Amino acid sequence: MSTNRSNQRIGLVLFTLYLLLYGGFVLLMAFDAEQLQVTGPGQVNMAVWSGFSLIVVALVLSLVYGWVCRSDGHAEAAGSTQAHDDAVSQGDGA
Amino acid sequence: MIYEASPIAVGCFFVFVGLTLGLSFFLGRKAKSSAGYFAAHGQIPWFVNGVAFAGDYLSAASFLGICGMIAFYGYDGFLYSIGYLAGWIVALFVVAEPMKRLGKFTFADALDARFGSRGIKLVAGISTLAVSIFYLIPQMVGAGVLVQPLLGFPHWVGVMLVGATVILIVVLAGMVSTTWVQFLKGSLLVVFSTILTVLILVRGFAAEEGGADGHAFRTLGPLTNTEPVRQAEALEKELASTWGLQGATITPAEGAWVDQPFVRIASGTDKVTTVWHLDKGEAGVFLRETQTLKKTADGQVLVNGMPKGTKKGEPELHPVGHVSRLPDGKDKTGSLGPLEFFSTLEESEVVLWGNKKLVHEDGSTTTVYFQKPTAGSRILQPGMHPRFQGIHSDKTLDKIDLLSLMLALFCGTASLPHILIRYYTVKDEASARKSTIVGIATIGFFYVLTLYLGLGAMTSGTLDVTNSNMSAPLLAFSIGEWLFAAISAIAFTTVLGTVSGLILASSGAVTHDLMANAMGREMTDAQQVRVAKIASVVVGLVAIVLGVLFQELNVSYLVGWAFSVAASANLPSLVMCLFWSRTTRQGVIAAVVVGMTSSLAWILLSADTFSKVYGLDADQALVPFSQPGIVTIPLGFLTLVAVSLATQGTGPAPVAESPAEA
């Protein structure tokens, strides 16, 4: 039960973090869309960058969560490498 | 467009379906008990389950709908990608582990774990059925859309084909084979989308005057004799002398053509009438060539004024999608890097296509498809699709509508029954968590690719103006026939996989929640499986009928309904059961009922439904904006809290968290 509780707390912290990012993006889009036209790194605009970032950050947070909660898991080794490979290919895609 | 069935595509298609079915029979032969049928004995390895999540989730709406929307409207479609993925954060951080801990087969199990109430089982079972059937309609419609060009069958044959195949898979095999089908399809989809993306980047952009069939779309102007444009002899002379329209005669606007930005001009030796879009911009007044599709009252179809052909080379709508101008006046970019792809597009101009349907007095209709030259910088910004008009509008209601949609996407994923049941196919909470992470990685990677695929399709020259759902397969067609065959077959298995997951979720709800628990029918294990199979066949048949009935509706529009209803009905009670100890049985029942009915009622009374489903005037709608989420999700929470507070101490004392026994 104690692992459940601590997992739940970590989960809620990460959830709140993501909610702020996603909410921030949506509000920015709704009320100040001009900010998204600004050109960012690589001459690519902020609309594209923020979209890609939200996807990559979701994956990073989920990996952080998986890493922190690993204590109560079983048979970890095979899985974490696999997830990591996906993370790398994700980075390339962005 | 005229589609011809290609032998490679047909062969590839049948190999795929054959393999899928064969695999289902092989893997499902051991699943005889109800635990095996509904939850694959909880023995699916978490990595496989994670990719199967992707398989379940990346439905026809994701693959066909999002790519199509990006291809026709640019960045807006990508907002769906962002929202759909964000929903997984709710699933992972809030719902995944408790779902696994509390439930056995269905979402209702988890909701009811503390109460042991028939009422909860009943309402949760009904909401599962409602959401699943809403979600089934677009999948079936998508199936028909796919089969049409691939095999040359009419739409209803495609729907029947999918329905029959899926019923076979679900009845013969259950959750084990469904999971493996999803795994297979999820992997193939991501691998082939990656290949396609690489090929798009290697191809780069080229400035063209039209689509892949070599037809150059003409633009006349800037014109000098423009006022008044219609019936103007001066303009007719100018068109003939300066712009090469021999003997141009302008047809006076009458009937449905009055006050439209279109000019009909008969020209040439045979005096064929073509329709031109009148474009008054800062650079001057232009006439741009359109394409028209006329359906007469007696069922004849005319394309650009001539009877539609049945074979290649005969009159048909031209494929579209071209870059009209590249930066620095280049003809071709050559291969591009993943970021260069966007920075180049930003500086280019692409011809997008709008459409306008005119209804004439004699019952015939004309749909005019017209060119919209659009700056690349505009395409890479949100706000072009009518659904996202809130971004550039000053009206508060439009902005609320936008926020409401993004909220429903965020909350919907973790409330979809066919996603939730996948938590019961792994052995413990750690596996549930890990498979969700694998799911997020796979789905996130795919969603990054959607932007490349959609924009690649936009500039591929092979788009069908009448059907945005076909954009992704047609993009593959612009690269090669074998790729078209592979992508179409994968898209078809995509539909198969998602539909079988949904049918399983519904049959689980009927058997386990409604029959066994809510109605209190005592059933042996074997009887449960039999009832579930009968339920699958019935739901499958209902889905086939609805798929044929709703064939005209946009796929992603219907998925939006399912997300809103799922989020409003299921999420409040799911979250409150987990985090608020004073939640009561009555509170849960009330929240599910209120959430479900209010969101459904809102959708049925909205402007979107008025104009697209009933064919009524959108202004007559009874609710102020179309997306219900921002009202009905909080309403679900409020109802739960209010009813729970009012009924404290009336129900049986909540049982401590323990796995539910069915």
Side-chain angles (χ1 to χ4, degrees):
Chain A
M1 197 49 117
S2 66
T3 19
N4 288 341
R5 283 279 141 78
S6 83
N7 283 4
Q8 210 166 64
R9 205 166 49 238
I10 299 161
L12 283 182
V13 170
L14 294 174
F15 169 76
T16 313
L17 189 63
Y18 195 80
L19 182 63
L20 290 176
L21 290 174
Y22 179 80
F25 171 73
V26 172
L27 290 176
L28 188 69
M29 184 170 73
F31 295 103
D32 196 5
E34 266 116 62
Q35 296 295 325
L36 296 173
Q37 292 170 15
V38 175
T39 305
Q43 299 299 304
V44 175
N45 74 35
M46 290 316 283
V48 173
W49 273 123
S50 44
F52 279 174
S53 310
L54 279 169
I55 293 176
V56 174
V57 167
L59 179 63
V60 170
L61 290 184
S62 70
L63 287 174
V64 167
Y65 181 68
W67 174 256
V68 177
C69 297
R70 75 195 182 288
S71 52
D72 68 328
H74 317 275
E76 281 289 332
S80 54
T81 28
Q82 201 69 57
H84 182 68
D85 287 345
D86 282 344
V88 171
S89 55
Q90 164 106 19
D92 288 346
Chain B
M1 278 167 71
I2 296 169
Y3 296 104
E4 278 182 347
S6 83
I8 303 181
V10 175
C12 195
F13 173 81
F14 281 109
V15 168
F16 257 74
V17 176
L19 275 180
T20 310
L21 279 179
L23 195 73
S24 309
F25 296 147
F26 177 73
L27 293 165
R29 71 195 185 286
K30 284 186 227 145
K32 298 289 176 241
S33 67
S34 63
Y37 188 77
F38 292 123
H41 301 284
Q43 292 299 314
I44 301 287
W46 58 263
F47 183 76
V48 173
N49 202 54
V51 179
F53 265 132
D56 259 328
Y57 199 62
L58 300 176
S59 65
S62 280
F63 181 52
L64 303 176
I66 292 181
C67 288
M69 193 160 162
I70 297 175
F72 279 70
Y73 296 97
Y75 189 88
D76 286 339
F78 192 54
L79 287 174
Y80 277 93
S81 295
I82 297 169
Y84 284 146
L85 187 78
W88 279 92
I89 290 293
V90 186
L92 173 66
F93 293 153
V94 184
V95 175
E97 291 170 59
M99 273 299 290
K100 177 63 191 165
R101 188 162 70 239
L102 299 176
K104 188 180 176 195
F105 293 153
T106 66
F107 153 73
D109 282 344
L111 212 55
D112 195 31
R114 272 165 54 184
F115 308 106
S117 145
R118 284 184 181 185
I120 293 184
K121 286 262 166 55
L122 180 71
V123 291
I126 292 174
S127 106
T128 300
L129 259 184
V131 173
S132 299
I133 287 178
F134 264 127
Y135 211 96
L136 269 171
I137 303 171
Q139 310 299 334
M140 300 303 276
V141 172
V145 165
L146 266 172
V147 166
Q148 214 167 349
L150 189 66
L151 304 178
F153 292 149
H155 184 274
W156 65 272
V157 176
V159 174
M160 300 278 273
L161 207 60
V162 176
T165 317
V166 167
I167 291 174
L168 211 59
I169 296 179
V170 175
V171 167
L172 288 170
M175 197 63 179
V176 181
S177 49
T178 304
T179 304
W180 284 96
V181 168
Q182 298 293 45
F183 171 73
L184 204 73
K185 160 221 146 169
S187 319
L188 284 171
L189 184 57
V190 172
V191 168
F192 273 87
S193 301
T194 313
I195 295 175
L196 208 49
T197 304
V198 170
L199 292 174
I200 290 169
L201 293 176
V202 169
R203 179 168 70 178
F205 297 118
E208 309 273 357
E209 291 180 312
D213 67 348
H215 177 85
F217 292 105
R218 287 168 292 175
T219 294
L220 314 179
L223 303 172
T224 42
N225 299 294
T226 53
E227 289 300 334
V229 158
R230 295 186 180 87
Q231 304 158 344
E233 276 173 41
L235 179 60
E236 285 173 355
K237 277 196 192 119
E238 185 191 346
L239 289 172
S241 59
T242 318
W243 306 105
L245 288 188
Q246 302 304 323
T249 321
I250 295 174
T251 317
E254 83 319 295
W257 293 97
V258 174
D259 292 333
Q260 296 295 338
F262 302 117
V263 181
R264 289 176 295 167
I265 303 172
S267 66
T269 46
D270 45 3
K271 288 283 177 193
V272 172
T273 301
T274 44
V275 180
W276 297 75
H277 181 225
L278 183 65
D279 184 1
K280 290 181 185 166
E282 280 167 19
V285 177
F286 295 86
L287 283 176
R288 299 185 197 277
E289 187 179 349
T290 68
Q291 308 199 67
T292 57
L293 191 66
K294 179 168 184 176
K295 289 185 180 148
T296 60
D298 56 6
Q300 238 193 327
V301 180
L302 301 172
V303 172
N304 297 331
M306 314 228 260
K308 187 182 177 194
T310 50
K311 291 198 292 284
K312 289 277 171 203
E314 294 178 5
E316 59 171 322
L317 290 173
H318 301 287
V320 301
H322 65 279
V323 178
S324 47
R325 186 172 49 74
L326 281 169
D328 311 322
K330 276 186 285 193
D331 292 339
K332 251 187 158 97
T333 59
S335 65
L336 294 166
L339 291 180
E340 217 185 336
F341 182 79
F342 297 112
S343 56
T344 309
L345 190 62
E346 178 103 21
E347 308 275 306
S348 308
E349 185 187 75
V350 181
V351 174
L352 302 182
W353 288 76
N355 65 73
K356 179 101 195 178
K357 190 174 180 180
L358 306 176
V359 181
H360 306 294
E361 277 168 6
D362 63 355
S364 62
T365 59
T366 305
T367 311
V368 183
Y369 300 94
F370 55 92
Q371 304 180 60
K372 288 190 299 183
T374 311
S377 55
R378 189 77 194 76
I379 288 165
L380 293 173
Q381 287 294 321
M384 293 237 296
H385 191 279
R387 197 169 306 147
F388 294 100
Q389 61 186 348
I391 293 168
H392 299 297
S393 141
D394 292 328
K395 279 192 246 158
T396 317
L397 284 180
D398 287 343
K399 299 219 183 276
I400 294 176
D401 195 47
L402 171 76
L403 298 182
S404 190
L405 173 65
M406 296 309 280
L407 180 71
L409 296 183
F410 189 60
C411 297
T413 302
S415 329
L416 290 175
H418 71 292
I419 298 295
L420 293 173
I421 58 168
R422 197 150 280 295
Y423 285 116
Y424 302 123
T425 59
V426 290
K427 67 178 188 302
D428 53 20
E429 291 158 50
S431 305
R433 183 173 67 234
K434 284 187 281 188
S435 56
T436 314
I437 297 172
V438 173
I440 289 178
T442 316
I443 295 166
F445 178 59
F446 175 79
Y447 279 158
V448 168
L449 299 184
T450 55
L451 195 53
Y452 292 97
L453 296 178
L455 294 173
M458 179 188 272
T459 55
S460 67
T462 47
L463 292 184
D464 180 348
V465 281
T466 62
N467 187 348
S468 68
N469 290 327
M470 276 304 289
S471 302
L474 288 175
L475 160 69
F477 189 71
S478 74
I479 291 173
E481 197 176 8
W482 65 273
L483 204 57
F484 172 66
I487 292 286
S488 301
I490 291 169
F492 192 77
T493 22
T494 292
V495 177
L496 285 189
T498 309
V499 171
S500 31
L502 284 163
I503 291 188
L504 260 180
S506 323
S507 86
V510 170
T511 316
H512 189 68
D513 302 334
L514 299 182
M515 300 277 287
N517 288 313
M519 290 163 61
R521 284 276 292 275
E522 292 285 331
M523 284 188 284
T524 64
D525 216 45
Q527 278 172 327
Q528 280 203 27
V529 174
R530 198 163 57 237
V531 171
K533 288 184 175 176
I534 296 170
S536 302
V537 175
V538 174
V539 174
L541 292 175
V542 170
I544 291 176
V545 172
L546 293 176
V548 174
L549 286 181
F550 284 86
Q551 61 165 307
E552 299 286 323
L553 275 189
N554 177 293
V555 169
S556 69
Y557 172 66
L558 286 164
V559 170
W561 281 16
F563 264 72
S564 298
V565 176
S568 312
N570 299 347
L571 194 75
S573 32
L574 196 56
V575 169
M576 293 310 266
C577 273
L578 299 176
F579 295 100
W580 196 46
S581 58
R582 298 173 71 187
T583 306
T584 64
R585 177 168 56 87
Q586 293 90 333
V588 172
I589 295 175
V592 174
V593 171
V594 168
M596 182 166 55
T597 46
S598 63
S599 55
L600 272 177
W602 190 288
I603 289 167
L604 294 178
L605 299 178
S606 71
D608 253 7
T609 314
F610 265 58
S611 61
K612 287 186 193 152
V613 183
Y614 312 144
L616 295 174
D617 190 359
D619 293 333
Q620 296 176 337
L622 300 175
V623 288
F625 48 90
S626 290
Q627 298 288 336
I630 208 163
V631 174
T632 55
I633 296 171
L635 185 66
F637 277 102
L638 272 179
T639 309
L640 188 140
V641 171
V643 175
S644 291
L645 288 178
T647 55
Q648 288 295 315
T650 54
V655 193
E657 284 190 356
S658 66
E661 293 303 325

